[in-house]
Amino acid sequence: MPQNSVSVRSGATALDLYAPGHLGELTEIIDPELVDAVLEDTGVRTQRLRLLPARVVVYFVLALAFFERSSCQAVWAKLTAGLGSVPVARPCPSSLARARRRLGSGPLKFPR
């Protein structure tokens, strides 16, 4: 995957850090505005500033499907690799699992 250059100011929040385009090719294929609209429609919103905002968790879960033989932490590393030298949270597996549970299955279901 080609890596896009990303400029993030120091002291950036999680929402700044994971702005559209910062998570590599997934954000080019699946529009962040679409993800935000789906989160809004399903009632899953980021209620407070977290290290793992809902939009990022959606991309993380999608990346898990692409790299199904990799660990959660390896997938997280792949997802955030394009951020280069920007310090990124390194959530432990239990934090990633809690974030997935918080998200639920609603945003990832196909409409019937």
Side-chain angles (χ1 to χ4, degrees):
M1 280 188 211
Q3 293 185 2
N4 299 332
S5 66
V6 176
S7 70
V8 179
R9 62 182 164 70
S10 63
T13 67
L15 295 177
D16 296 330
L17 183 63
Y18 303 122
H22 288 194
L23 294 176
E25 290 185 18
L26 272 178
T27 57
E28 293 175 17
I29 297 167
I30 302 167
D31 185 11
E33 291 176 2
L34 173 63
V35 173
D36 289 342
V38 168
L39 290 170
E40 186 70 31
D41 288 349
T42 56
V44 179
R45 293 179 211 92
T46 300
Q47 308 243 333
R48 61 187 174 106
L49 184 60
R50 296 179 178 273
L51 288 177
L52 298 171
R55 179 196 305 146
V56 174
V57 179
V58 168
Y59 286 114
F60 172 67
V61 173
L62 292 171
L64 284 172
F66 287 118
F67 302 106
E68 63 184 43
R69 295 193 175 162
S70 297
S71 70
C72 287
Q73 288 179 310
V75 171
W76 179 257
K78 290 174 195 261
L79 190 65
T80 59
L83 294 171
S85 63
V86 175
V88 177
R90 294 180 179 257
C92 63
S94 62
S95 295
L96 293 168
R98 278 192 306 275
R100 289 172 59 196
R101 228 179 348 266
R102 241 187 354 259
L103 180 69
S105 62
L108 298 163
K109 288 183 179 179
F110 287 100
R112 293 182 184 199

